[in-house]
Amino acid sequence: MKWIISLVTFIVASSIGFILSNNFISNANQQASYYQTMQVANDTDRMNYLMSTSVGRTGINKAKIHAVDSVKLDELNENYQYIERTREEYTMHTETYTTTDSKGNSTTHTRTYWSWDYAGSESKQAKYVTVNGFKIKSIAIDLPQYDLDLKDNMFNKNIEYGIIFKHKGSVRGNYYYAGADTRYKYSFTPVDSKLTLFAVLGKNKISPLQGENKINTTKQTVKQVKEDYNESAKSAHLIYVVSFVLSLLLSIGAWFACNEINKQY
């Protein structure tokens, strides 16, 4: 009987594993093929040609992205494609906890601690950017953001104006301290970037890939991205081996479980 249960366990587990593995591998292969069959634009002329022919899915290698109407904050020296100021407050927190001694007596304790907590933010973003000279709305493209290094001569330390910055503060690390219990940090996207884009090229139009909300960007080249997807598709086939081993282990486990039950009776 235990051999039958073990065999049935193996068949059921391996069947489920095969179906799931097959779906996973199929999706990986489709994804690899989706990127592998894309057109590639290595320069502006090639991109413009592919747009004029409405070629569709395209990887645009190291495109020059420029903010048409860059933005800035009063306290910063530079302009940006995107800039965000986040306020943090040094806040005291109180919490209670209970301990129980060896006799079962409970005692309630109060603990206080301080932490820097989010206290709001505001941001500005350019309305338009150009991709190799072609103008699109900035909200249509997913551009990376970075922490702003305030020590790198990018910060006006002598400010005494504005609704928020009424007094001189100090710069420590990537934070501007307006006082002992208030500080600000910044994240930004530079005016000019050089990134690889994956998009749908149409007649005078650059759109996100199907199923995406924004045009994807990466620091990798189109070739590198294609190679990554191909490697993922190849590695996905290992899931068949994993599925088989797991099914075999479950089958062996079922055999031992039945054996232990038989011993008890």
Side-chain angles (χ1 to χ4, degrees), residues 2-131:
K2 59 186 177 183
W3 291 105
I4 296 175
I5 293 175
S6 179
L7 180 61
V8 170
T9 301
F10 177 78
I11 292 174
V12 172
S14 59
S15 297
I16 295 173
F18 178 80
I19 294 172
L20 294 177
S21 300
N22 213 37
N23 289 337
F24 180 82
I25 292 169
S26 177
N27 290 335
N29 288 335
Q30 287 178 11
Q31 194 79 343
S33 177
Y34 184 78
Y35 279 85
Q36 191 64 37
T37 54
M38 280 186 180
Q39 294 288 332
V40 179
N42 288 317
D43 52 44
T44 302
D45 290 340
R46 177 64 175 170
M47 188 189 87
N48 290 337
Y49 170 75
L50 293 176
M51 289 179 68
S52 68
T53 56
S54 299
V55 73
R57 292 179 290 112
T58 304
I60 308 170
N61 251 331
K62 301 300 180 181
K64 295 178 181 178
I65 303 167
H66 174 73
V68 176
D69 47 345
S70 59
V71 296
K72 76 183 302 292
L73 295 175
D74 288 341
E75 67 272 19
L76 301 180
N77 292 331
E78 303 291 331
N79 284 38
Y80 307 93
Q81 188 277 329
Y82 174 87
I83 184 69
E84 180 179 20
R85 177 204 293 132
T86 300
R87 177 180 175 128
E88 294 180 354
E89 298 284 355
Y90 199 52
T91 309
M92 185 180 75
H93 302 273
T94 302
E95 67 176 14
T96 58
Y97 62 96
T98 303
T99 59
T100 305
D101 60 22
S102 58
K103 296 180 179 181
N105 299 317
S106 297
T107 304
T108 300
H109 308 270
T110 300
R111 181 174 75 95
T112 59
Y113 65 95
W114 293 77
S115 65
W116 286 102
D117 297 338
Y118 174 81
S121 64
E122 61 176 298
S123 63
K124 292 183 179 180
Q125 183 175 11
K127 291 183 180 180
Y128 296 95
V129 297
T130 56
V131 177

Side-chain angles (χ1 to χ4, degrees), residues 38 56-60 197-201 206-209 215-216:
M38 280 186 180
R57 292 179 290 112
T58 304
I60 308 170
L197 277 65
F198 289 96
V200 175
L201 299 187
I206 302 179
S207 307
L209 295 174
I215 297 168
N216 294 330

Side-chain angles (χ1 to χ4, degrees), residues 81-86 123-125 138 141-148 186-190 193 195 214 217 219:
Q81 188 277 329
Y82 174 87
I83 184 69
E84 180 179 20
R85 177 204 293 132
T86 300
S123 63
K124 292 183 179 180
Q125 183 175 11
S138 62
I141 183 169
D142 186 18
L143 295 175
Q145 296 173 16
Y146 309 95
D147 290 333
L148 184 62
Y186 298 77
S187 57
F188 77 103
T189 300
S193 304
L195 299 165
K214 291 188 176 185
T217 62
K219 291 182 178 180

